[in-house]
Amino acid sequence: MTDPIAELIADEGLPESYMDVVEHHWKPLATRIARLPATRAPLVVGINGAQGSGKSTACKFLEVLLARRRVRAVTLSMDDLYLTRTERQTLAREVHPLFATRGVPGTHAVALGLSIIEDMLAGRALEMPRFDKAADDRAAEVTRITGPVDVLLLEGWCVGARPQEAVALAAPINDLERNEDPDGTWRSLVNHWLTQDYARLFDQIDLLVMLKVEDFDAVRRNRALQEEKLRASHPHASETMDDAALERFCAHYERLTRHMLAEMPARADVVIPIGPDQNPIDQTGE
């Protein structure tokens, strides 16, 4: 009889030593999730983590580990809620040019995420959207979900984010903001949206887990690795990025990422430090 965890490690191209990560981190987290008071179904577990922190990988293992406990978990990525490319282009024309780039609050179809949770709570069949990063657009394919769901794993780089104080928005933090958002319109709107639909979505979270990278430099390194993998798997894709484009792309995320790294650890229910190898750091720091 095959071990589904060992199969998943192989399917993900991870080393056999990753079994230690599963044992020391994902199994205890799965146990904690399974023991949450069943006040509703699904319970919503927020998985926050900067780019390259291993959110999607963690969710795959959590789904398998929870299934062992007869807990059905389904993952919804904030990435899959991105507005279509056409919608973002319209937003860029009518609101601010920087909204053409996916990522920040304001570039997601948050109402779609809320409707998915509503359908799950009502036990209705539903379709989960998917986003194609290589095409920078929502994919035609969807995943159909039927039957009861016990746990929804809501994962994304800004999951659970809270807005900054208005005074913190005054000074630009990088060249992108300095040159392309000199009056602060874009960053103020991003912050405003966090008080609106995003707050309603994140209020659905029953347990907030933060996969905490060391700093924003780690985000740049990890996102570069992701882009290398994307280029290798989609060699003819038109929307992959060179180094300059990648640096500009990451600059869109910098403000809110730094804000979350500073304030979220104190309020998250679970904080798991992530090392330079993109794996959780154990309690000894090794």
Side-chain angles (χ1 to χ4, degrees):
M1 187 173 181
T2 58
D3 177 2
I5 295 297
E7 284 187 346
L8 185 53
I9 287 174
D11 290 345
E12 291 294 301
L14 297 166
E16 292 182 6
S17 61
Y18 194 82
M19 188 65 77
D20 291 336
V21 173
V22 176
E23 291 290 334
H24 296 152
H25 298 281
W26 306 144
K27 277 189 177 181
L29 180 55
T31 298
R32 178 161 181 174
I33 293 170
R35 291 176 177 172
L36 289 172
T39 54
R40 61 175 183 166
L43 292 168
V44 179
V45 176
I47 308 291
N48 170 281
Q51 288 82 357
S53 59
K55 299 180 298 296
S56 59
T57 299
C59 288
K60 289 176 183 178
F61 283 95
L62 288 172
E63 286 187 17
V64 173
L65 292 165
L66 287 167
R68 285 182 170 179
R69 296 163 170 80
R70 292 186 169 83
V71 175
R72 186 189 183 195
V74 170
T75 299
L76 172 62
S77 172
M78 289 292 293
D79 287 359
D80 290 325
L81 296 178
Y82 282 137
L83 297 173
T84 66
R85 192 175 183 186
T86 298
E87 289 170 333
R88 284 183 284 114
Q89 288 172 340
T90 299
L91 197 63
R93 284 196 308 273
E94 298 180 355
V95 181
H96 195 284
L98 287 177
F99 284 115
T101 299
R102 67 179 190 263
V104 298
T107 61
H108 300 86
V110 179
L112 177 58
L114 287 165
S115 71
I116 287 171
I117 294 174
E118 182 179 335
D119 285 342
M120 286 187 176
L121 288 169
R124 293 189 288 263
L126 59 102
E127 292 182 343
M128 300 273 272
R130 295 297 177 219
F131 193 86
D132 183 350
K133 290 183 179 179
D136 192 28
D137 209 348
R138 192 174 297 166
E141 300 80 9
V142 297
T143 300
R144 187 163 179 79
I145 305 294
T146 59
V149 175
D150 301 307
V151 172
L152 177 65
L153 301 172
L154 177 64
E155 66 96 344
W157 80 275
C158 65
V159 162
R162 289 181 177 173
Q164 292 182 276
E165 297 291 335
V167 66
L169 303 174
I173 64 166
N174 56 31
D175 287 343
L176 179 82
E177 291 188 357
R178 191 172 297 107
N179 299 329
E180 300 184 48
D181 187 37
D183 62 358
T185 297
W186 172 72
R187 55 188 181 267
S188 294
L189 283 170
V190 169
N191 206 54
H192 171 72
W193 268 313
L194 280 175
T195 71
Q196 301 298 311
D197 287 354
Y198 286 80
R200 288 189 281 275
L201 178 61
F202 300 154
D203 280 347
Q204 300 296 314
I205 294 172
D206 298 289
L207 183 81
L208 178 60
V209 179
M210 183 182 194
L211 307 183
K212 183 181 178 296
V213 298
E214 183 178 3
D215 52 29
F216 194 72
D217 286 340
V219 175
R220 293 188 179 98
R221 291 192 301 270
N222 291 342
R223 190 60 185 81
L225 288 173
Q226 286 183 324
E227 197 65 22
E228 287 177 13
K229 293 177 182 177
L230 191 62
R231 284 195 293 263
S233 61
H234 298 80
H236 304 297
S238 61
E239 296 302 323
T240 55
M241 292 177 274
D242 59 21
D243 291 345
L246 184 60
E247 181 65 25
R248 184 178 182 279
F249 180 74
C250 287
H252 291 74
Y253 294 77
E254 184 171 359
R255 171 177 292 277
L256 188 52
T257 299
R258 290 187 184 278
H259 174 57
M260 291 187 295
L261 287 173
E263 67 84 24
M264 186 176 285
R267 62 181 174 86
D269 298 295
V270 179
V271 178
I272 300 176
I274 302 297
D277 61 354
Q278 299 177 286
N279 288 331
I281 299 171
D282 65 26
Q283 292 181 346
T284 65
E286 296 176 355

